[in-house]
Structures are given as C-alpha cells and as structure tokens.
Amino acid sequence: MSRSTANILDRPLGGRGARSEGSVSTSAFAYLYSELVQYHQSRVASISELERRLESSGYGVGLKVLELLAYRAREYKRETRLMNILQFVSSAVWKSLFGKAADSLERSIDHADEFMIVDYEPITSMYVSVPSDLGQLSVDAYLSGIIAGVLDGAGFTARVTAHSVTLEEHEVSANNAPNTNMGGSGSVNNNLPPRKDKAVFLVKFAPEVLERDATLDR
Amino acid sequence: VTLSPTMASSQLLLFVIVGKNEPLYEAEFHKMGGTSSGTSDSVTRQNYFVLHSALDLVDKASWTTNNMYLKVVDKINHQQVSTFLTAGNIKFMLLHGGKTEDSIKNFFNEVYELYVKLSMNPFYKYDTPITSKFFDTRVRAVARRYLS
C-alpha cells in the first residue's frame, strides 16, 4: 500500500476549483460511530455522562470544520452576527458534512436565546436503536458537539443539546414517502423501518452573546 | 518607560499568533544584514508589550467588520500593529515598521493557509501552543518572501 508521506502542511486543502473533496460511505461512518458509542458506553455510569462524552468527541470536529469551510469559501470573511452563524451551521456545515442542508432552523417563541436546528434523518442515529432503559439518550449528542464547536470557535458560546422529538402526523407521511430524495446520504433503500422521530438540536446562547449581537444592531 | 525608536524597529518584525487566552506561536524576523546584531532584551520586551496591549483594540475591532484582515489596529511611535482574524477567532498579529498593506495581506493569507492545514491534524488541539517545527520553518519562509 503506497501512501504519500507528505507533511500535512504540504497537502492541498481544497476550495474553489479543487476536485471533489471526497466523501465517506455511510456504512464506514456507521461502523466507526457505533464503535465510538460502544467505547464510551462501557466507561460511563450514566446517560448524561455518555451524552457529554459524545458531545466532546464532536466538539473538536466542529472547530476544525469551521476553519476549513471558511478557508475553502475563499472570501476571507468571518461571521459576526448571530443569525448569520446559525445560517452557516444549518446550511454550509450541514451540506459539507451530510450532503444536504438541515431541514429547518427555528427560533423559540418562549425564550429569546434559544434556537432549534431540525434534522429528520441524522446519520448518527440512523443505525442506532435506543433500548427503553436508556430512556432519553440521544446519540446525536455527537452532532450537538459539532454545532457547539462551530459556535464556540466563532465566538458565539452556546449550550447545544440533542433531543429526539416524535414526528407529528403530517411530518411522518412527508418524510417517509417512497421516493424521498435523501440527498448526499445516498441510501434510499436502507430497508429500515421508517423513523418515528426527528432530531432537534436546541441551541441556547450565553447572555453575553445576545447582548453583543443586540449592540451590533444599532 | 519610554519606547526608544531604535534603528532596529523598522527592520524588526514580530509575529505572534494569539488564541483566546495566551500566545500560541511567536516569531521574530530580522532583515538580513541589519545594523543591530540581534535585538536587545529590553527592545524585545517592549515589542511584546506593544503587541499585547493592542489586543483590546483587536477585540473591539473584531465585531465591527466581518473581514478577516483587520489592517492596522494600533500605532505606537514608528511601529504599527496589523491583525488578521481566522474564522475561529485566532488572532495573527504583526508588529512592523510600516510595511505595505499588500505585502502584509499576502503574508497573513499564506500563514492562514498554513494554520488551517495545521488545524486539520487530529492531534492538534484548537487554541493550544503550536510546537511544530515544520510550521515554524514555513512561516519564516513566508516572512522572507513577503516581508523583507
């Protein structure tokens, strides 16, 4: 097996005009992720600790994705506004990691500092079934770690948590129609029973972030 | 403490990468064949002081624009501090004696590319000191190309 041993500082980074940045098969990811979850599962004593470990595994990914995507965009710009960084996460980051933008970005009515990013088919939980004794566990905590990493790196400290929310009637039929386009994840015929829930990532920003963003409005 | 503008100040360049809490990388560049035989300790300390005191100004400026390149952020005597901010808010700061904007921008862009590549290393933790010798060699080569 020949592999180039060029220093990382010499390897190309991709960007405008580069050849396709490469993608990884869903099954490779699913295997690796399942091992990651099992590794942590055998070392923790509680559900929240497991979720915390998954979050910190994803955090580093978020930081790197932030720098890489900003660089590849070649615009030498950074996000300074709250809505813009959220748009960046739900479209650019999602597209780069999963092949399609997040299904929706919503703002909480009750709390001014809370936002929700919704994904109907997050790959981290596609091949995972949670037994009832693990109750509220969401293995998508890895993805909330990624989101938190991107936001934190950009200066928008936030607490991000993953929740599995049962699909409502109209959502179930819309997403499980036979020829639904699954975008970059590719596998339309995965022979799995249709999902009954969606992943909602709740993003709660620190108060200083909202204050700062409010002063920039003036 | 008076900052004495020595002959060396226009030929000395101090480049520092600053994270959220501490400097992550430092390099001094001397013009070849400069009159001073290396900077004295007190000049070096003054330079670091000048650079670090500009950090507040960088923080203020960073939220007013979404450009990464912040141009000159502070001027002290004959020296200027130029700054570049990455998407992850890592600050590249250069203390110089009045180089052209273009050469500084090119310098920052090349170092930015090196920094992003370094960040892709799964063993490099964000916001920690950069210890890679390759990185150091590369940054110095970029400095020689654009800043001398």
Side-chain angles (χ1 to χ4, degrees):
Chain A
M1 174 172 90
S2 84
R3 193 192 329 153
S4 86
T5 47
N7 190 288
I8 194 173
L9 297 178
D10 289 323
R11 308 245 285 265
L13 266 181
R16 223 184 291 147
R19 281 170 292 142
S20 126
E21 271 111 31
S23 47
V24 170
S25 72
T26 314
S27 42
F29 177 78
Y31 274 122
L32 187 61
Y33 190 65
S34 123
E35 276 309 311
L36 182 86
V37 175
Q38 288 175 59
Y39 172 86
H40 287 305
Q41 200 173 5
S42 59
R43 286 166 171 76
V44 299
S46 70
I47 299 176
S48 47
E49 219 193 304
L50 177 59
E51 281 192 350
R52 209 106 318 155
R53 281 187 176 221
L54 290 175
E55 280 168 23
S56 57
S57 306
Y59 188 81
V61 175
L63 291 170
K64 291 173 202 294
V65 157
L66 171 67
E67 291 280 12
L68 184 63
L69 291 182
Y71 173 83
R72 279 188 179 161
R74 290 294 194 183
E75 285 173 358
Y76 297 100
K77 296 250 190 253
R78 7 177 300 276
E79 300 300 345
T80 50
R81 302 306 310 272
L82 198 86
M83 281 317 296
N84 294 346
I85 192 74
L86 281 172
Q87 296 278 15
F88 175 73
V89 170
S90 61
S91 50
V93 174
W94 238 252
K95 270 203 205 112
S96 151
L97 294 176
F98 313 121
K100 63 177 182 63
D103 294 297
S104 84
L105 170 65
E106 294 158 13
R107 176 173 206 146
S108 160
I109 308 172
D110 315 308
H111 304 271
D113 57 351
E114 283 180 5
F115 292 80
M116 288 149 308
I117 297 179
V118 180
D119 194 332
Y120 289 118
E121 188 89 52
I123 48 169
T124 42
S125 50
M126 234 203 280
Y127 297 104
V128 172
S129 54
V130 182
S132 47
D133 56 335
L134 290 180
Q136 285 303 303
L137 170 71
S138 170
V139 291
D140 299 320
Y142 184 75
L143 298 183
S144 34
I146 296 183
I147 299 173
V150 174
L151 292 176
D152 232 4
F156 296 85
T157 318
R159 177 100 185 81
V160 186
T161 45
H163 306 268
S164 290
V165 173
T166 327
L167 289 172
E168 288 148 52
E169 274 301 314
H170 61 272
E171 286 173 311
V172 175
S173 46
N175 287 302
N176 290 316
N179 293 314
T180 309
N181 179 13
M182 300 283 234
S185 55
S187 53
V188 178
N189 300 318
N190 54 17
N191 295 323
L192 291 173
R195 285 182 69 118
K196 293 207 186 59
D197 49 30
K198 58 185 174 180
V200 174
F201 299 98
L202 186 64
V203 180
K204 191 176 175 74
F205 287 102
E208 317 82 74
V209 173
L210 291 155
E211 274 166 32
R212 186 188 65 212
D213 201 61
T215 59
L216 290 178
D217 268 332
R218 282 192 249 112
Chain B
V1 162
T2 43
L3 296 174
S4 45
T6 58
M7 274 278 288
S9 68
S10 54
Q11 288 145 327
L12 173 75
L13 298 157
L14 180 60
F15 174 61
V16 178
I17 297 184
V18 183
K20 308 234 159 152
N21 298 315
E22 53 170 348
L24 308 179
Y25 172 80
E26 292 157 358
E28 277 178 33
F29 311 125
H30 299 272
K31 212 167 176 156
M32 300 286 267
T35 51
S36 63
S37 54
T39 13
S40 69
D41 258 354
S42 64
V43 175
T44 309
R45 272 200 296 271
Q46 279 166 7
N47 288 332
Y48 277 103
F49 178 76
V50 167
L51 208 57
H52 283 82
S53 63
L55 279 174
D56 279 338
L57 292 161
V58 172
D59 269 338
K60 240 176 51 171
S62 65
W63 297 106
T64 61
T65 169
N66 57 4
N67 287 326
M68 286 183 173
Y69 179 46
L70 294 184
K71 304 193 196 177
V72 176
V73 153
D74 196 15
K75 289 203 228 281
I76 308 235
N77 293 341
H78 303 270
Q79 293 174 311
Q80 300 172 342
V81 176
S82 295
T83 311
F84 179 97
L85 278 179
T86 69
N89 283 317
I90 298 293
K91 312 172 197 21
F92 295 169
M93 298 174 71
L94 183 70
L95 179 71
H96 60 97
K99 295 273 169 213
T100 55
E101 284 227 353
D102 261 357
S103 45
I104 297 188
K105 187 144 60 125
N106 289 330
F107 169 73
F108 278 145
N109 288 345
E110 294 261 350
V111 176
Y112 176 49
E113 188 176 330
L114 290 172
Y115 174 77
V116 176
K117 290 183 183 181
L118 182 94
S119 322
M120 292 301 109
N121 180 347
F123 295 111
Y124 173 69
K125 189 161 181 244
Y126 169 79
D127 206 17
T128 54
I130 297 174
T131 52
S132 157
K133 282 199 47 206
F134 273 117
F135 184 79
D136 182 54
T137 321
R138 286 307 166 75
V139 169
R140 288 180 186 279
V142 172
R144 265 196 307 275
R145 192 163 48 206
Y146 289 108
L147 297 177
S148 54

